[in-house]
Amino acid sequence: MLTRFDINSVLSEFVLILTSILIGIIVGAEREYRGKFAGLRTFTLVSFGSCLFTILSIKIGVNSYDRIAANIITGIGFLGAGVIFKDRSKINGITTATTIWATASLGMAAGSGHIYLTMVGMLIVVVTLRFLLPLQQYIDNLNKVHEYRITTHNTEEFDYSKNVFGELNLRFALTGQSVSENVIESIWMVSGNAKDHERLVARLLYDKKIVQFKF
């Protein structure tokens, strides 16, 4: 039969677990709403698992409470690495990976009984994900970087591509080039305002001197 102390301990741990699940649901719901491939279930399980491992670390760690808890960070590192992938010149999944990492820390905070840190941390994560996005997009639009693969017929038209970039106030650098018969494919890293990139795409789309382009 459980003593009063045992009952209180069980209830306390139950509250900590429920808190971690709530944290995971809130963060996961935001990711799910934005259509990310790691969503509600993933973040709920990450938060819950981190919380439970932390509780177990405290209960069975004896004189080394950090023995199990320290390995949570290692495990989350592998999980986060699995959601990062490279798409052409852009790396995707970094925000998802760091959110998984942050959610694990919230679960650990809940499991160790630091409810105040858990709630403050959750608020910071949600605000960062939800309300800093417009600011990020604004900054990103000021200086977007795109890779363009432009195919032209000869060296004269190759130089023509550089002139087009200059006319549209875009900064550019040649990163690769291949020649096949009378065709030259040049790879450019181009940076500048988002609107200037839109003007560039419209210019290349209807420019007869450009054989084809990809971006």
Side-chain angles (χ1 to χ4, degrees):
M1 183 175 180
L2 293 174
T3 64
R4 181 177 179 79
F5 175 80
D6 292 328
I7 292 174
N8 288 337
S9 178
V10 169
L11 289 176
S12 175
E13 291 166 358
F14 184 68
V15 170
L16 297 181
I17 290 173
L18 286 181
T19 301
S20 71
I21 292 174
L22 177 62
I23 296 297
I25 289 174
I26 292 174
V27 177
E30 195 281 336
R31 297 282 82 191
E32 193 77 41
Y33 177 78
R34 294 194 178 277
K36 304 300 180 180
F37 50 86
L40 185 63
R41 293 180 298 175
T42 300
F43 285 97
T44 300
L45 290 174
V46 165
S47 183
F48 160 72
S50 299
C51 175
L52 188 58
F53 274 125
T54 302
I55 292 174
L56 290 173
S57 183
I58 295 173
K59 293 178 72 69
I60 67 178
V62 191
N63 296 323
S64 182
Y65 292 157
D66 63 343
R67 184 177 59 181
I68 297 176
N71 287 292
I72 297 174
I73 302 173
T74 302
I76 291 299
F78 281 107
L79 185 61
V83 300
I84 299 175
F85 60 95
K86 187 175 185 297
D87 181 18
R88 293 179 63 182
S89 61
K90 184 178 181 182
I91 298 177
N92 295 310
I94 293 181
T95 300
T96 298
T98 52
T99 306
I100 290 174
W101 174 72
T103 303
S105 73
L106 299 179
M108 292 179 69
S112 59
H114 296 89
I115 302 299
Y116 170 74
L117 288 177
T118 306
M119 294 303 175
V120 171
M122 181 199 68
L123 181 62
I124 292 173
V125 169
V126 172
V127 168
T128 300
L129 292 174
R130 185 69 177 174
F131 298 105
L132 289 189
L133 183 60
L135 177 60
Q136 176 185 323
Q137 291 174 336
Y138 172 75
I139 296 174
D140 185 48
N141 286 335
L142 290 178
N143 187 47
K144 275 187 172 295
V145 179
H146 285 307
E147 179 186 88
Y148 290 86
R149 292 176 177 265
I150 300 177
T151 303
T152 57
H153 284 299
N154 52 47
T155 305
E156 182 180 352
E157 292 182 4
F158 161 73
D159 293 333
Y160 175 76
S161 298
K162 297 191 293 185
N163 295 332
V164 171
F165 298 145
E167 289 174 9
L168 297 176
N169 301 316
L170 292 166
R171 297 177 297 278
F172 57 91
L174 181 65
T175 60
Q177 193 175 54
S178 61
V179 180
S180 176
E181 295 181 357
N182 295 324
V183 173
I184 300 175
E185 182 185 63
S186 305
I187 303 174
W188 302 89
M189 292 302 296
V190 183
S191 61
N193 190 281
K195 292 183 178 179
D196 292 332
H197 278 284
E198 292 174 2
R199 291 165 55 203
L200 174 61
V201 171
R203 176 81 171 265
L204 296 177
L205 190 61
Y206 297 104
D207 197 323
K208 295 181 179 180
K209 292 185 178 181
I210 306 298
V211 177
Q212 66 176 6
F213 73 96
K214 299 178 182 179
F215 71 98

